[in-house]
Amino acid sequence: MRMLTNNTPAATEETGSARYEVIRQVLHNVLIQKRVPQGLVLLEGPLAQLFGTSRVPVRRALSLLHEEGLIARFEGRGFIVAKEDEEPEPLRAGLTRELLGLDEQEALVDTRSTGEKVLDNLQVVLSTAMVFGCYQLDEQLAAQHYNVSRAVIRESLMRLRDKGLVEKEPYSQWLTGPLTAREIADHFEIRASLEPTALRKAGRLLPVEWLTASLEKAQRYKGQQLSAAELELLEEDLHVRCLEPAGNKLMMQILRQNQSPFIVTRIFYDLLSIPVETAMLEEHCLVYEMLLKGNWELAAGCLRDHLERAQVRTLQRLKVLSVLPVPALPSFMDRI
């Protein structure tokens, strides 16, 4: 089973050396796999903009790649994709993700703050734990685990409490789980009551370009095994971003607190490493198609139908997860 402590983002801030090593590794893979044309000119400025960093780590990364013999110096500025004994014609082209064969959505360098990294990591840990039972979290041990203050841990937990992932009574420990079939059914009942109504209001306000891109993405994912991040974005597109233009902030707050269905889906696919169900994607596509046709009432009906079917699938997934071994959790989590 997957070790959460080994597969989640590091909690500490990246140093300058860490950034140049990340950039070096990305470019190393691109060059080894020969994704870029021979003779491509690599300049510090465009690469720094692409990676969202200063020029310093880019300069260091390029120097290391030069030492490895993967790129060469030439008479112009920067480096060229060539061996030292080769002299291809310099190709000056815009250094884009597409040209380098990089994922359009993936963050190339993690520039989040320590608090944001801790928050994201704790969200993964708590959402996993609650599927497998009732757990208690020790603030002090968590602070030691992430090498941060208890204040950082407490702030993250307060934000995760707003999402319904953890709870705490005065003068007691933080608790999460267990996630039950009854709770999941309650969450779906709330979503089925609110989401279609919101979509009727929001439908006419959604940009056609965004709806088209969302539809194409759902179609493209059919038969694919998705990462947790891709799956989360897929669900957020339909169940959050499609509804936000309705303008009801209180309703969106309630929906964001009802995360249980998405948690089960993410853990299910993460642990079993299987392609996402085509039926789920087709239901997403149908909602987008109706929105693009301007039929808000039918789109809302398709969304309600999707939620009803999703409830059945989610309860089935919960049963499957109940017989799987509990994934390894950090030492600050105790089952009670």
Side-chain angles (χ1 to χ4, degrees):
M1 302 300 291
R2 189 165 297 180
M3 291 285 291
L4 290 177
T5 50
N6 292 335
N7 287 276
T8 44
T12 55
E13 287 280 12
E14 290 190 64
T15 61
S17 59
R19 283 191 187 181
Y20 79 66
E21 180 55 33
V22 170
I23 296 170
R24 186 204 68 81
Q25 188 61 55
V26 170
L27 293 177
H28 179 275
N29 293 339
V30 167
L31 294 166
I32 289 295
Q33 295 170 19
K34 297 184 178 180
R35 298 189 211 165
V36 294
Q38 185 83 342
L40 180 66
V41 176
L42 301 176
L43 298 173
E44 289 178 12
L47 284 173
Q49 184 175 6
L50 181 68
F51 283 94
T53 69
S54 68
R55 295 189 180 204
V56 175
V58 173
R59 185 178 307 135
R60 177 62 173 149
L62 291 174
S63 295
L64 290 172
L65 293 169
H66 178 243
E67 292 174 9
E68 293 179 58
L70 294 176
I71 56 178
R73 294 189 183 277
F74 72 118
E75 293 183 0
R77 290 189 305 115
F79 292 85
I80 190 171
V81 178
K83 304 291 185 183
E84 283 293 350
D85 57 349
E86 297 174 338
E87 296 184 0
E89 186 70 22
L91 172 62
R92 293 177 171 83
L95 299 178
T96 64
R97 286 173 179 255
E98 182 179 5
L99 179 63
L100 299 181
L102 300 174
D103 191 305
E104 290 293 332
Q105 303 297 326
E106 183 180 0
L108 300 180
V109 178
D110 193 345
T111 58
R112 296 171 300 165
S113 68
T114 299
E116 289 172 329
K117 293 176 185 178
V118 170
L119 175 67
D120 287 350
N121 190 269
L122 277 174
Q123 179 168 326
V124 172
V125 170
L126 291 170
S127 60
T128 301
M130 69 188 303
V131 172
F132 291 92
C134 183
Y135 285 82
Q136 176 178 289
L137 181 146
D138 187 297
E139 269 188 25
Q140 183 59 42
L141 292 179
Q144 294 172 2
H145 176 85
Y146 292 111
N147 193 29
V148 296
S149 69
R150 289 185 67 170
V152 172
I153 298 297
R154 193 172 299 117
E155 180 183 355
S156 295
L157 291 171
M158 293 288 285
R159 292 172 66 182
L160 293 172
R161 182 171 64 177
D162 292 340
K163 288 189 173 185
L165 296 182
V166 66
E167 59 184 29
K168 183 181 188 296
E169 298 294 334
Y171 308 108
S172 67
Q173 292 286 350
W174 293 94
L175 300 175
T176 187
L179 184 58
T180 64
R182 178 69 262 171
E183 184 178 351
I184 287 174
D186 290 344
H187 281 250
F188 269 108
E189 183 177 1
I190 292 172
R191 304 195 81 93
S193 298
L194 298 179
E195 290 192 25
T197 300
L199 191 62
R200 289 187 189 95
K201 294 176 61 179
R204 67 188 75 252
L205 303 173
L206 292 167
V208 172
E209 297 80 5
W210 183 82
L211 287 172
T212 302
S214 298
L215 173 60
E216 291 174 350
K217 179 167 65 174
Q219 292 172 331
R220 187 172 64 250
Y221 281 163
K222 291 180 181 179
Q224 291 190 26
Q225 181 179 326
L226 304 184
S227 67
E230 288 172 329
L231 192 58
E232 184 175 354
L233 285 174
L234 182 74
E235 296 283 26
E236 282 188 2
D237 282 347
L238 184 64
H239 298 288
V240 177
R241 295 184 183 90
C242 265
L243 310 179
E244 285 177 331
N248 191 323
K249 293 183 180 179
L250 178 59
M251 182 186 65
M252 294 309 302
Q253 182 180 354
I254 293 171
L255 290 175
R256 288 192 177 95
Q257 290 173 339
N258 286 271
Q259 297 290 312
S260 300
F262 305 143
I263 290 170
V264 173
T265 299
R266 180 183 64 77
I267 300 299
F268 177 82
Y269 283 112
D270 194 38
L271 292 181
L272 297 184
S273 300
I274 58 176
V276 67
E277 290 170 288
T278 300
M280 182 184 79
L281 294 171
E282 289 178 344
E283 290 162 19
H284 280 230
C285 290
L286 192 55
V287 175
Y288 291 130
E289 287 168 359
M290 294 303 103
L291 289 170
L292 284 167
K293 290 179 180 179
N295 195 328
W296 325 127
E297 191 65 34
L298 194 50
C302 291
L303 179 57
R304 179 181 290 277
D305 180 66
H306 165 63
L307 288 166
E308 290 174 354
R309 295 171 184 268
Q311 178 175 343
V312 175
R313 288 192 294 262
T314 302
L315 292 174
Q316 291 172 340
R317 291 166 186 160
L318 189 63
K319 288 181 180 179
V320 173
L321 292 174
S322 68
V323 300
L324 295 179
V326 179
L329 295 168
S331 59
F332 57 79
M333 299 294 294
D334 283 326
R335 189 165 189 168
I336 58 176

